[in-house]
Amino acid sequence: MSRIAKISIFLVALSVLGYFVATRWNVNPAHSLGEKLDEFNGVIVHYNGAINSTSGRATTSDGYNLGLRYQCVEFVKRYYYERFQHKMPNSMGHAKECFSFAVADGELNKERMLIQYRNGAGSSPATEDLIVFAPWVLNRFGHVAIVSEVGPDFIEVVQQNAGPFGSTRERFPLEQRDGRVRVGNDRVLGWLRRQQSNPPVAQVTH
C-alpha cells in the first residue's frame, strides 16, 4: 500500500472518529445536559449537547409520546401539546417525517393533524408554525423548529438540539421567486399549521 493511500485511510478514519465523538458527547463545557437555554411562550428549550445524544423518551402525564428527550422533535411536540393541547395521531417518527411529500400544499397532514404548506408554493410561514428541514450530510434525520417571528423579509425560528455550539434562535430570509414567497434555505421543506383560522398571537421571548 502506498504512503498516500495510508494517509488517505488515516484521514478518513480520523474524520469518522471526530464525527462520532462530536455527535455523541457533549463537547461544550459551558452547558450541561437538560439545561434551560431559552423559552418561547412559556415552553422551555433545553440543551442536548451532541446532536445524536438521547436521554430517554419523554411522555406526558396522559401517556402521549413527545419523543426522545431534548431532541428537536421533542421540543416542537411539547410546544404544541403545552400551548394548544395538540396531539399528533402518529406520535412517532424522525424530524423529516413530520413533512409528507404525499400531502398537497394547503391540505391536511392526517398523521400530524396539521395543515401542511410547501416551501415555495406561495404561502408564507406564520408565527408558531412547525417548520421542517430536510436531512443533510451531518444529520440524516432532518430537523424541526417553531417559527418564533415573521418579519417583512425574514423568519426567525426557535429550536432545540441545534448542536453543542448552536443557537436556539436562527433567522432565514424570505424571498420572492416568480411572484411566490419562499424561505430562502433549500433545506426547508415546508411548515405545518393548526387548523384554527385565528391562532393566538405569540409573544416573542429572547
Side-chain angles (χ1 to χ4, degrees):
M1 183 181 294
S2 69
R3 185 168 179 270
I4 293 177
K6 289 180 180 178
I7 292 174
S8 298
I9 292 173
F10 173 76
L11 291 176
V12 169
L14 189 63
S15 298
V16 171
L17 178 61
Y19 172 78
F20 184 81
V21 170
T23 58
R24 296 288 178 179
W25 281 278
N26 179 22
V27 294
N28 185 352
H31 297 292
S32 58
L33 187 66
E35 177 184 341
K36 176 183 175 180
L37 295 180
D38 200 348
E39 182 177 321
F40 184 58
N41 288 323
V43 183
I44 295 173
V45 178
H46 296 280
Y47 179 71
N48 191 45
I51 60 171
N52 289 337
S53 173
T54 59
S55 303
R57 188 166 296 279
T59 57
T60 63
S61 59
D62 57 357
Y64 174 59
N65 170 51
L66 295 174
L68 296 174
R69 194 171 283 112
Y70 312 140
Q71 286 283 331
C72 61
V73 171
E74 186 267 341
F75 169 66
V76 299
K77 289 172 67 179
R78 177 162 46 85
Y79 184 90
Y80 265 60
Y81 181 82
E82 292 185 8
R83 181 86 168 128
F84 307 117
Q85 295 75 52
H86 179 86
K87 294 182 181 180
M88 296 182 180
N90 180 359
S91 67
M92 306 299 289
H94 298 301
K96 63 184 180 182
E97 293 165 348
C98 287
F99 185 91
S100 173
F101 289 97
V103 176
D105 180 65
E107 296 297 322
L108 179 66
N109 182 327
K110 294 181 180 179
E111 290 195 333
R112 311 302 169 186
M113 284 307 292
L114 298 168
I115 303 298
Q116 179 176 290
Y117 298 90
R118 292 173 179 257
N119 190 21
S123 299
S124 175
T127 305
E128 297 192 281
D129 283 355
L130 190 166
I131 192 167
V132 187
F133 297 80
W136 60 100
V137 64
L138 295 179
N139 184 352
R140 61 191 176 94
F141 303 116
H143 186 58
V144 285
I146 298 294
V147 177
S148 52
E149 184 179 358
V150 179
D153 58 0
F154 72 91
I155 66 165
E156 179 191 79
V157 303
V158 56
Q159 58 191 346
Q160 190 167 266
N161 196 29
F165 299 97
S167 174
T168 60
R169 305 287 176 126
E170 190 170 358
R171 287 190 173 189
F172 301 96
L174 282 177
E175 302 174 344
Q176 290 278 351
R177 290 190 182 180
D178 301 323
R180 295 181 175 182
V181 178
R182 75 180 299 274
V183 178
N185 185 297
D186 290 337
R187 289 192 287 107
V188 175
L189 297 174
W191 43 90
L192 307 176
R193 184 177 302 161
R194 295 189 311 132
Q195 296 182 69
Q196 286 83 344
S197 58
N198 295 304
V201 177
Q203 300 298 316
V204 179
T205 304
H206 293 283

Coordinates of all heavy atoms in Angstrom, one line a residue, residues 113-172:
M113 N -52.2 15.9 11.9 CA -53.4 16.7 12.1 C -53.1 18.2 12.1 O -53.6 19.0 12.9 CB -54.1 16.3 13.4 CG -54.9 14.9 13.3 SD -56.0 14.8 11.9 CE -57.3 16.0 12.3
L114 N -52.3 18.5 11.1 CA -51.9 19.9 10.9 C -52.0 20.2 9.4 O -51.8 19.3 8.6 CB -50.5 20.2 11.4 CG -50.3 20.0 12.9 CD1 -48.8 20.0 13.3 CD2 -51.0 21.1 13.7
I115 N -52.3 21.4 9.0 CA -52.3 21.8 7.6 C -50.9 22.0 7.2 O -50.1 22.6 7.8 CB -53.1 23.1 7.4 CG1 -54.5 23.0 7.9 CG2 -53.1 23.5 5.9 CD1 -55.3 21.9 7.2
Q116 N -50.5 21.4 6.0 CA -49.1 21.4 5.6 C -49.0 22.3 4.4 O -49.8 22.3 3.4 CB -48.7 20.0 5.2 CG -47.3 19.8 4.6 CD -46.9 18.4 4.3 OE1 -46.8 17.6 5.2 NE2 -46.8 18.1 3.1
Y117 N -47.9 23.1 4.4 CA -47.6 24.0 3.3 C -46.2 23.7 2.8 O -45.3 23.5 3.6 CB -47.7 25.5 3.8 CG -49.0 25.9 4.3 CD1 -49.4 25.7 5.6 CD2 -50.0 26.4 3.4 CE1 -50.7 26.1 6.1 CE2 -51.2 26.8 3.8 CZ -51.6 26.6 5.2 OH -52.9 27.0 5.6
R118 N -46.0 23.8 1.5 CA -44.7 23.5 0.9 C -44.0 24.8 0.7 O -44.5 25.8 0.3 CB -44.9 22.8 -0.5 CG -45.5 21.4 -0.3 CD -45.8 20.8 -1.7 NE -46.3 19.5 -1.6 CZ -45.6 18.4 -1.8 NH1 -44.3 18.5 -2.3 NH2 -46.1 17.2 -1.7
N119 N -42.7 24.8 1.0 CA -41.8 25.9 0.8 C -41.8 26.3 -0.7 O -41.5 25.4 -1.6 CB -40.4 25.7 1.3 CG -39.6 26.9 1.3 OD1 -40.1 28.0 1.4 ND2 -38.3 26.7 1.4
G120 N -42.1 27.5 -1.1 CA -42.1 28.0 -2.4 C -43.4 27.8 -3.2 O -43.5 28.2 -4.3
A121 N -44.4 27.3 -2.5 CA -45.7 27.1 -3.2 C -46.5 28.4 -3.2 O -47.5 28.4 -3.9 CB -46.5 25.9 -2.6
G122 N -46.1 29.3 -2.4 CA -46.9 30.6 -2.4 C -47.1 31.2 -1.1 O -47.1 32.4 -0.9
S123 N -47.4 30.3 -0.1 CA -47.7 30.8 1.3 C -46.5 31.2 2.0 O -45.4 30.7 1.8 CB -48.5 29.8 2.1 OG -49.7 29.4 1.4
S124 N -46.6 32.1 3.0 CA -45.5 32.4 3.9 C -45.8 31.8 5.3 O -46.9 31.6 5.7 CB -45.5 34.0 4.1 OG -44.5 34.3 5.0
P125 N -44.7 31.4 6.0 CA -44.9 30.9 7.3 C -45.5 31.9 8.2 O -45.4 33.1 8.0 CB -43.5 30.5 7.8 CG -42.6 30.5 6.5 CD -43.3 31.5 5.6
A126 N -46.2 31.4 9.3 CA -46.8 32.2 10.3 C -46.2 31.9 11.6 O -45.6 30.8 11.8 CB -48.3 32.0 10.3
T127 N -46.3 32.8 12.5 CA -45.7 32.6 13.9 C -46.4 31.4 14.5 O -47.6 31.2 14.4 CB -46.0 33.8 14.8 OG1 -45.4 35.0 14.2 CG2 -45.4 33.6 16.1
E128 N -45.6 30.5 15.1 CA -46.0 29.3 15.8 C -46.2 28.1 14.8 O -46.6 27.0 15.2 CB -47.2 29.4 16.7 CG -46.9 30.4 17.8 CD -47.9 30.4 18.9 OE1 -49.0 31.1 18.7 OE2 -47.7 29.8 20.0
D129 N -45.9 28.3 13.5 CA -45.9 27.2 12.6 C -44.8 26.2 13.0 O -43.7 26.7 13.5 CB -45.7 27.6 11.2 CG -47.0 28.2 10.6 OD1 -48.0 28.1 11.2 OD2 -46.9 28.7 9.4
L130 N -44.9 25.0 12.7 CA -43.9 23.9 12.9 C -43.2 23.8 11.5 O -43.8 23.4 10.6 CB -44.5 22.6 13.3 CG -43.7 21.5 13.8 CD1 -44.5 20.4 14.5 CD2 -42.9 20.8 12.7
I131 N -41.9 24.2 11.5 CA -41.2 24.2 10.2 C -40.2 23.0 10.2 O -39.7 22.6 11.2 CB -40.4 25.5 10.1 CG1 -39.8 25.7 8.7 CG2 -39.3 25.7 11.1 CD1 -39.3 27.1 8.4
V132 N -40.2 22.4 9.0 CA -39.4 21.1 8.8 C -38.3 21.3 7.8 O -38.5 21.8 6.7 CB -40.4 20.0 8.3 CG1 -39.7 18.7 8.2 CG2 -41.7 19.9 9.1
F133 N -37.1 20.8 8.2 CA -35.9 20.8 7.4 C -35.5 19.4 6.9 O -35.7 18.5 7.7 CB -34.8 21.4 8.2 CG -34.9 22.8 8.7 CD1 -35.7 23.1 9.8 CD2 -34.3 23.9 8.0 CE1 -35.9 24.4 10.2 CE2 -34.5 25.2 8.4 CZ -35.3 25.5 9.5
A134 N -35.1 19.4 5.7 CA -34.7 18.1 5.1 C -33.4 17.6 5.8 O -32.6 18.4 6.3 CB -34.5 18.2 3.6
P135 N -33.1 16.3 5.7 CA -31.8 15.8 6.1 C -30.6 16.4 5.3 O -30.8 16.9 4.2 CB -31.9 14.3 5.8 CG -33.3 14.0 5.6 CD -33.9 15.3 5.1
W136 N -29.4 16.4 5.9 CA -28.2 16.8 5.2 C -27.1 16.0 5.7 O -27.3 15.1 6.4 CB -28.0 18.3 5.4 CG -27.7 18.8 6.7 CD1 -26.5 19.1 7.3 CD2 -28.7 19.2 7.7 NE1 -26.7 19.6 8.6 CE2 -28.0 19.7 8.9 CE3 -30.1 19.2 7.7 CZ2 -28.7 20.1 10.0 CZ3 -30.8 19.6 8.9 CH2 -30.1 20.0 10.0
V137 N -25.9 16.3 5.2 CA -24.8 15.4 5.3 C -24.4 15.1 6.8 O -24.1 13.9 7.1 CB -23.5 15.9 4.6 CG1 -23.0 17.2 5.2 CG2 -22.4 14.9 4.6
L138 N -24.6 16.0 7.7 CA -24.3 15.8 9.1 C -25.5 15.4 9.9 O -25.4 15.3 11.1 CB -23.6 17.1 9.7 CG -22.3 17.5 9.1 CD1 -21.8 18.7 9.7 CD2 -21.3 16.3 9.2
N139 N -26.7 15.3 9.3 CA -27.9 15.0 10.1 C -28.9 14.3 9.1 O -29.6 14.9 8.4 CB -28.5 16.2 10.7 CG -29.7 15.9 11.5 OD1 -30.2 14.8 11.6 ND2 -30.2 16.9 12.2
R140 N -28.9 13.0 9.2 CA -29.7 12.2 8.3 C -31.2 12.1 8.7 O -32.0 11.6 8.0 CB -29.2 10.8 8.1 CG -29.1 10.0 9.4 CD -28.3 8.7 9.2 NE -28.1 7.9 10.4 CZ -28.9 6.9 10.8 NH1 -30.0 6.6 10.0 NH2 -28.7 6.3 11.9
F141 N -31.5 12.7 9.9 CA -32.9 12.6 10.4 C -33.7 13.9 10.1 O -34.8 14.0 10.4 CB -32.8 12.4 11.9 CG -32.1 11.2 12.3 CD1 -31.0 11.2 13.1 CD2 -32.6 9.9 11.9 CE1 -30.3 10.1 13.5 CE2 -31.9 8.8 12.3 CZ -30.7 8.8 13.0
G142 N -33.0 14.9 9.6 CA -33.7 16.2 9.4 C -33.8 17.0 10.7 O -33.2 16.7 11.7
H143 N -34.6 18.1 10.7 CA -34.7 19.0 11.8 C -36.0 19.6 11.8 O -36.7 19.8 10.7 CB -33.6 20.0 11.7 CG -33.5 20.9 12.9 ND1 -33.2 20.5 14.2 CD2 -33.6 22.3 13.0 CE1 -33.2 21.5 15.0 NE2 -33.4 22.6 14.4
V144 N -36.5 20.0 13.0 CA -37.8 20.7 13.1 C -37.6 21.9 14.1 O -36.8 21.8 15.0 CB -39.0 19.8 13.5 CG1 -39.5 19.0 12.4 CG2 -38.6 19.0 14.8
A145 N -38.4 22.9 14.0 CA -38.3 24.1 14.9 C -39.7 24.7 14.8 O -40.6 24.3 14.1 CB -37.2 25.0 14.4
I146 N -39.8 25.8 15.7 CA -41.1 26.6 15.7 C -40.8 28.0 15.2 O -39.7 28.6 15.6 CB -41.6 26.7 17.2 CG1 -42.0 25.3 17.7 CG2 -42.8 27.6 17.2 CD1 -43.1 24.6 17.0
V147 N -41.6 28.5 14.3 CA -41.4 29.8 13.9 C -41.8 30.8 15.0 O -42.9 30.8 15.5 CB -42.3 30.1 12.6 CG1 -42.2 31.6 12.2 CG2 -42.0 29.2 11.5
S148 N -40.8 31.6 15.4 CA -41.0 32.5 16.5 C -41.3 33.9 16.1 O -41.8 34.7 16.9 CB -39.7 32.4 17.5 OG -38.5 32.7 16.7
E149 N -40.9 34.3 14.9 CA -41.2 35.6 14.4 C -41.2 35.7 12.9 O -40.4 34.9 12.3 CB -40.1 36.6 15.0 CG -40.3 38.1 14.6 CD -39.2 39.0 15.1 OE1 -38.3 38.5 15.8 OE2 -39.2 40.2 14.9
V150 N -42.0 36.5 12.4 CA -42.1 36.7 10.9 C -41.9 38.2 10.6 O -42.8 39.0 11.1 CB -43.4 36.2 10.3 CG1 -43.4 36.4 8.8 CG2 -43.6 34.7 10.6
G151 N -40.9 38.5 10.0 CA -40.6 39.9 9.6 C -41.0 40.2 8.2 O -41.4 39.3 7.4
P152 N -40.7 41.4 7.7 CA -41.1 41.7 6.3 C -40.2 40.9 5.3 O -40.7 40.7 4.2 CB -40.8 43.2 6.2 CG -39.8 43.5 7.3 CD -40.2 42.5 8.4
D153 N -39.0 40.5 5.7 CA -38.1 39.8 4.7 C -37.3 38.7 5.4 O -36.3 38.3 4.9 CB -37.2 40.8 4.1 CG -36.3 41.6 5.1 OD1 -36.5 41.4 6.3 OD2 -35.5 42.4 4.6
F154 N -37.9 38.2 6.5 CA -37.2 37.1 7.2 C -38.2 36.4 8.1 O -39.3 36.9 8.4 CB -36.0 37.7 8.1 CG -36.5 38.4 9.3 CD1 -36.7 37.7 10.6 CD2 -36.8 39.8 9.3 CE1 -37.2 38.4 11.7 CE2 -37.3 40.5 10.4 CZ -37.4 39.8 11.6
I155 N -37.8 35.2 8.5 CA -38.4 34.5 9.6 C -37.3 34.1 10.7 O -36.2 34.0 10.3 CB -39.2 33.2 9.2 CG1 -38.2 32.1 8.7 CG2 -40.2 33.5 8.2 CD1 -38.8 30.8 8.6
E156 N -37.8 34.0 11.9 CA -36.9 33.5 12.9 C -37.5 32.3 13.5 O -38.7 32.2 13.6 CB -36.8 34.6 14.1 CG -35.9 34.1 15.2 CD -36.0 35.0 16.4 OE1 -37.0 34.9 17.2 OE2 -35.1 35.8 16.6
V157 N -36.7 31.3 13.8 CA -37.2 30.1 14.4 C -36.5 29.9 15.8 O -35.4 30.4 16.0 CB -36.9 28.8 13.5 CG1 -37.5 29.0 12.2 CG2 -35.4 28.5 13.5
V158 N -37.2 29.2 16.7 CA -36.7 28.8 17.9 C -36.6 27.3 17.9 O -37.5 26.6 17.4 CB -37.6 29.3 19.1 CG1 -39.0 28.8 19.0 CG2 -37.0 28.8 20.5
Q159 N -35.4 26.8 18.3 CA -35.1 25.3 18.1 C -34.4 24.7 19.3 O -33.7 25.4 20.0 CB -34.3 25.2 16.8 CG -33.0 25.9 16.9 CD -32.3 26.0 15.6 OE1 -32.6 25.3 14.6 NE2 -31.3 26.9 15.4
Q160 N -34.5 23.4 19.4 CA -33.8 22.6 20.4 C -32.9 21.7 19.7 O -33.2 21.3 18.5 CB -34.8 21.8 21.2 CG -34.2 21.1 22.5 CD -35.3 20.6 23.4 OE1 -35.7 21.3 24.3 NE2 -35.8 19.4 23.1
N161 N -31.8 21.4 20.3 CA -30.8 20.5 19.7 C -30.2 21.0 18.4 O -30.1 20.4 17.4 CB -31.4 19.1 19.4 CG -30.3 18.0 19.2 OD1 -29.2 18.1 19.7 ND2 -30.6 17.0 18.4
A162 N -29.7 22.3 18.5 CA -29.0 22.9 17.3 C -27.5 22.6 17.3 O -26.8 23.1 16.5 CB -29.2 24.4 17.4
G163 N -27.1 21.7 18.2 CA -25.7 21.3 18.3 C -25.1 22.0 19.5 O -25.6 22.9 20.1
P164 N -23.9 21.5 20.0 CA -23.3 21.9 21.2 C -23.0 23.4 21.2 O -22.9 24.0 22.3 CB -22.0 21.1 21.4 CG -21.8 20.5 20.0 CD -23.1 20.4 19.4
F165 N -22.7 24.0 20.1 CA -22.4 25.4 20.0 C -23.4 26.2 19.2 O -23.2 27.4 18.8 CB -21.0 25.6 19.4 CG -19.9 25.0 20.2 CD1 -19.4 23.7 19.9 CD2 -19.4 25.6 21.3 CE1 -18.4 23.1 20.6 CE2 -18.4 25.0 22.1 CZ -17.9 23.8 21.8
G166 N -24.5 25.5 18.8 CA -25.6 26.2 18.0 C -26.4 27.1 18.8 O -26.5 27.1 20.1
S167 N -27.2 28.0 18.2 CA -28.1 28.9 18.8 C -29.5 28.4 18.8 O -29.9 27.7 17.9 CB -28.0 30.3 18.1 OG -29.0 31.2 18.6
T168 N -30.2 28.8 19.9 CA -31.6 28.4 19.9 C -32.5 29.2 19.0 O -33.6 28.9 18.7 CB -32.2 28.6 21.4 OG1 -32.1 30.0 21.7 CG2 -31.5 27.8 22.4
R169 N -32.0 30.4 18.5 CA -32.7 31.2 17.5 C -31.9 31.3 16.2 O -30.6 31.5 16.3 CB -32.9 32.6 18.1 CG -33.6 32.7 19.4 CD -35.1 32.3 19.3 NE -35.7 32.3 20.7 CZ -36.8 33.0 21.0 NH1 -37.4 33.7 20.1 NH2 -37.3 32.9 22.2
E170 N -32.6 31.3 15.1 CA -31.9 31.4 13.8 C -32.8 32.0 12.9 O -34.1 31.8 12.9 CB -31.5 30.0 13.3 CG -30.6 30.0 12.1 CD -30.1 28.6 11.8 OE1 -30.3 27.6 12.5 OE2 -29.3 28.5 10.8
R171 N -32.3 32.9 12.0 CA -33.1 33.6 11.0 C -32.8 33.1 9.6 O -31.6 32.8 9.3 CB -32.8 35.1 11.1 CG -33.5 35.7 12.4 CD -33.4 37.3 12.3 NE -34.2 37.8 13.5 CZ -34.5 39.1 13.6 NH1 -34.1 40.0 12.7 NH2 -35.2 39.5 14.6
F172 N -33.8 33.2 8.8 CA -33.7 32.8 7.4 C -34.4 33.9 6.6 O -35.5 34.4 7.0 CB -34.4 31.4 7.1 CG -33.8 30.3 7.9 CD1 -34.4 29.9 9.1 CD2 -32.6 29.7 7.5 CE1 -33.8 28.9 9.9 CE2 -32.1 28.6 8.3 CZ -32.6 28.3 9.5

